[in-house]
Amino acid sequence: MKWNKFLENHKHIIPMKYYIIAGEASGDLHGSNLMKSILKKDSNAEFRFWGGDLMAAVAQQEPVKHYRDLAFMGFIEVVQNLGTILKNIKLCKKDIQAYRPDVLVLVDYPGFNLRIAQFAKSLGIRVVYYISPQLWAWKEGRVKTIKQYVDDMLVILPFEKDFYKKHQIEAHFVGHPLLDAISDLKPIDTEQFRAEHQLNNNPIIALLPGSRKQEVEKMLAMMLSVRSHFPDYQFVIAGAPSLPPSFYEKYVDDNVHFVSNKTYDLLRCSQAALVTSGTATLETALLGIPEVVCYRGSAISYAIAKRLVKHIRYISLVNLIMDREVVKELIQNDLTTENLVKELNLILNENRHRILEDYTELRQKLGGKGASDNAADIIVSKD
């Protein structure tokens, strides 16, 4: 009892240990900003984490595992890599047991993180889930797991709070962390950016084909198939930090350029963008760039997804949040060169003004800045 009382009276001088798991590039971004906010409120915080280079820069240490070794896309790819995934889960459990954190913070990545939540809870570790899995789209049954093993659910989309309330879970809407990331950007010198990356003076169409090798290979050929229809534009590929520059060399020529790990800067210098579905669709919109959303998975994965995803009309976060079509989605068989040319022409010309007006409404729906700080308040205050 005396030791417990000592701990209670001196908890402010005993460093809190935070274990954070992010399994994708977007999770690395949001995880890094969350770590910065935690440090503002708890300067003695100690971190151990699964993530990427951004989180490593904040923690000043390497991740237990880098997200590039964790991200597998689609049902078939997951099955093919099941052995690796199970080994990673085993490693993570063993590492958490050895580290004994005060709090486990899970960032999206549900297939992996919900298993870890159950394990951590069995050890008596407090579990916080930051950035909800998209249970409102599919696998709604996972809500039972969250209700049982997650202490605090922190959501970033306004409609998610009502979704969880329907399941008797009191979720906290903290705002969207992308608003923080984007508002912190310094003004960009377009001419300097072009010179730095050997780009000419033609207007830029940005290509965001994703962050995983499999999806980039699938998407880039289709995106680049429109080039001959837009001779007055230059196409610039946004390289993902998880892939080496050498991977993109085969796609580059006189009118196709490549910029590594500078996606926000590239978008801010662009007239339009072709974007693979995911967080990038929302990032592009919040930066004010008209876009066409593109997605094509394997035939089997897509067929399975269609059976599992119910009551959802859209795949892009932009349209989901607005609950109407703001940006055009070309999915699976609709993703053709002909359709891409048509939709790209529309966003470069007559649809441009309407899209930009809709983006203003989108920002208002997402609330103000401060998602990372709001999340850190909840994580740190309940230690």
Side-chain angles (χ1 to χ4, degrees):
M1 287 295 293
K2 287 182 179 179
W3 176 244
N4 288 339
K5 191 168 184 181
F6 174 83
L7 289 176
E8 182 63 29
N9 292 337
H10 295 82
K11 62 191 286 187
H12 61 286
I13 62 171
I14 300 171
M16 279 280 291
K17 296 162 75 174
Y18 302 84
Y19 200 107
I20 305 176
I21 303 175
E24 298 176 303
S26 60
D28 181 39
L29 170 64
H30 302 322
S32 68
N33 286 329
L34 178 64
M35 290 163 84
K36 291 174 189 174
S37 291
I38 288 173
L39 285 169
K40 285 192 287 185
K41 299 166 195 306
D42 180 6
S43 58
N44 295 317
E46 292 183 359
F47 296 111
R48 192 161 176 82
F49 64 98
W50 295 47
D53 298 342
L54 297 176
M55 294 173 74
V58 177
Q60 297 185 335
Q61 65 191 68
E62 291 302 305
V64 179
K65 274 273 186 177
H66 199 287
Y67 69 77
R68 64 173 161 256
D69 299 322
L70 304 174
F72 300 105
M73 175 190 167
F75 299 97
I76 303 303
E77 291 82 358
V78 167
V79 170
Q80 289 172 340
N81 292 281
L82 192 56
T84 301
I85 293 168
L86 292 174
K87 283 180 185 176
N88 285 335
I89 289 171
K90 186 177 180 180
L91 168 65
C92 188
K93 288 179 178 180
K94 187 176 180 181
D95 197 56
I96 288 172
Q97 195 159 20
Y99 186 63
R100 283 282 174 171
D102 296 287
V103 59
L104 169 68
V105 182
L106 307 170
V107 185
D108 199 1
Y109 198 50
F112 188 94
N113 276 340
L114 286 176
R115 292 191 182 205
I116 301 303
Q118 182 173 352
F119 174 76
K121 199 66 183 167
S122 73
L123 298 179
I125 296 168
R126 179 177 165 229
V127 179
V128 177
Y129 215 120
Y130 177 50
I131 305 179
S132 169
Q134 295 180 353
L135 305 186
W136 33 266
W138 71 312
K139 293 195 175 180
E140 191 167 336
R142 283 176 165 173
V143 170
K144 293 177 184 176
T145 305
I146 286 171
K147 193 171 186 178
Q148 192 170 357
Y149 302 115
V150 173
D151 296 293
D152 292 288
M153 172 57 73
L154 314 184
V155 301
I156 63 173
L157 300 173
F159 60 80
E160 289 177 325
K161 186 175 175 67
D162 291 334
F163 169 82
Y164 280 105
K165 190 173 183 180
K166 183 179 75 174
H167 292 279
Q168 293 79 51
I169 297 173
E170 190 58 41
H172 308 271
F173 173 58
V174 296
H176 205 292
L178 280 180
L179 290 170
D180 296 345
I182 286 168
S183 67
D184 289 342
L185 294 174
K186 296 176 182 177
I188 187 166
D189 184 326
T190 303
E191 289 186 11
Q192 182 179 331
F193 180 83
R194 287 173 182 267
E196 194 176 315
H197 297 283
Q198 293 82 51
L199 305 179
N200 59 44
N201 291 324
N202 289 344
I204 295 170
I205 295 172
L207 306 180
L208 280 64
S211 60
R212 303 180 184 107
K213 183 179 178 181
Q214 300 103 311
E215 67 182 347
V216 173
E217 288 176 335
K218 285 177 182 175
M219 300 307 302
L220 261 182
M222 177 55 65
M223 289 178 171
L224 289 170
S225 70
V226 306
R227 283 181 300 164
S228 61
H229 297 269
F230 298 91
D232 297 329
Y233 291 83
Q234 59 185 320
F235 292 79
V236 184
I237 302 166
S242 55
L243 294 173
S246 58
F247 171 79
Y248 296 92
E249 287 176 359
K250 60 187 174 186
Y251 300 103
V252 175
D253 60 28
D254 290 343
N255 203 37
V256 178
H257 306 273
F258 162 76
V259 172
S260 180
N261 205 17
K262 293 278 185 181
T263 301
Y264 284 5
D265 289 348
L266 169 61
L267 283 169
R268 289 191 290 165
C269 295
S270 301
Q271 287 290 105
L274 304 181
V275 185
T276 296
S277 179
T279 304
T281 63
L282 185 57
E283 292 172 309
T284 303
L286 293 177
L287 288 167
I289 309 304
E291 64 183 306
V292 180
V293 176
C294 311
Y295 178 78
R296 179 182 286 166
S298 72
I300 296 174
S301 292
Y302 182 69
I304 296 171
K306 278 200 76 173
R307 283 179 171 272
L308 294 176
V309 176
K310 299 174 182 177
H311 315 303
I312 298 295
R313 293 186 292 162
Y314 308 109
I315 66 166
S316 70
L317 284 172
V318 177
N319 293 343
L320 283 165
I321 294 165
M322 295 292 283
D323 198 26
R324 58 186 169 86
E325 186 180 85
V326 170
V327 295
K328 186 66 178 180
E329 299 178 354
L330 296 178
I331 307 168
Q332 210 66 6
N333 293 335
D334 288 335
L335 182 58
T336 64
T337 301
E338 182 182 4
N339 286 341
L340 265 181
V341 170
K342 174 188 171 186
E343 297 302 331
L344 187 51
N345 266 315
L346 286 172
I347 66 172
L348 287 169
N349 297 293
E350 55 259 46
N351 284 358
R352 186 177 188 83
H353 181 69
R354 189 269 303 163
I355 291 172
L356 294 178
E357 283 188 337
D358 286 342
Y359 284 174
T360 300
E361 186 181 340
L362 173 71
R363 292 187 197 96
Q364 292 168 349
K365 276 186 176 261
L366 287 174
K369 296 192 302 178
S372 301
D373 285 345
N374 292 337
D377 274 337
I378 295 167
I379 293 167
V380 173
S381 67
K382 293 191 178 183
D383 56 16

